[in-house]
Amino acid sequence: MRDELDTMGPVDYLVVEFPEARVPSEVLSRLVDLVDQGIVRILDLAFVRKEADGSVIGLEVADLDGDGELDVRVLEGAASGLVGRDDMDEAGAVIEPGRAAAIVLYENLWAIPFASALRRAGAGLVASGRIPVAALLDSLDAVEAATPADA
């Protein structure tokens, strides 16, 4: 277990809601690019749709982008079962009826050397978070507005 821990990067998840209950092909190709570049490893990928009555159903990886071609080849092996039914229900609770969501569980491969060095040094992660881009831009605008013009 210790050897495996030393060769893993931080693991994150995303729940991304899509209008019209389909995933644009550009989104899938950008995800594949991140994998191909060795930036992330997809540990699990699941899709759900919230029905008008509020029920949540899992979607098969098939023609996710509605282009008439099966997307299974692109995402083959991405469904590991780590994302369970409870996770799908939680994702469904935050999306609007009639929409779909992708649940992506991924390892940050780019961070493995840094994370390994931290573990070897006895360091431990004590907090983590994510700042939405819109909130960051709003904060930067507020700082700029508060800065005197002659500073």
Side-chain angles (χ1 to χ4, degrees), residues 32-94:
V32 170
D33 286 347
L34 291 172
V35 171
D36 289 345
Q37 292 175 46
I39 296 170
V40 301
R41 175 185 2 235
I42 304 300
L43 300 176
D44 207 348
L45 180 61
F47 298 90
V48 296
R49 183 177 63 229
K50 188 171 192 174
E51 301 296 324
D53 67 2
S55 62
V56 177
I57 61 168
L59 299 175
E60 292 293 320
V61 177
D63 183 16
L64 296 171
D65 56 13
D67 67 359
E69 295 183 26
L70 294 181
D71 300 315
V72 175
R73 291 181 308 279
V74 170
L75 304 170
E76 199 167 37
S80 66
L82 289 170
V83 173
R85 184 69 226 178
D86 289 347
D87 301 311
M88 290 183 196
D89 289 340
E90 284 185 40
V94 297

Side-chain angles (χ1 to χ4, degrees), residues 10-14 40-43 104-108 130:
V11 175
D12 289 318
Y13 74 93
L14 299 172
V40 301
R41 175 185 2 235
I42 304 300
L43 300 176
V104 185
L105 182 66
Y106 63 97
E107 178 185 7
N108 292 283
R130 185 143 319 210

Side-chain angles (χ1 to χ4, degrees), residues 133-143:
V133 173
L136 178 65
L137 294 175
D138 289 346
S139 293
L140 289 171
D141 288 344
V143 167

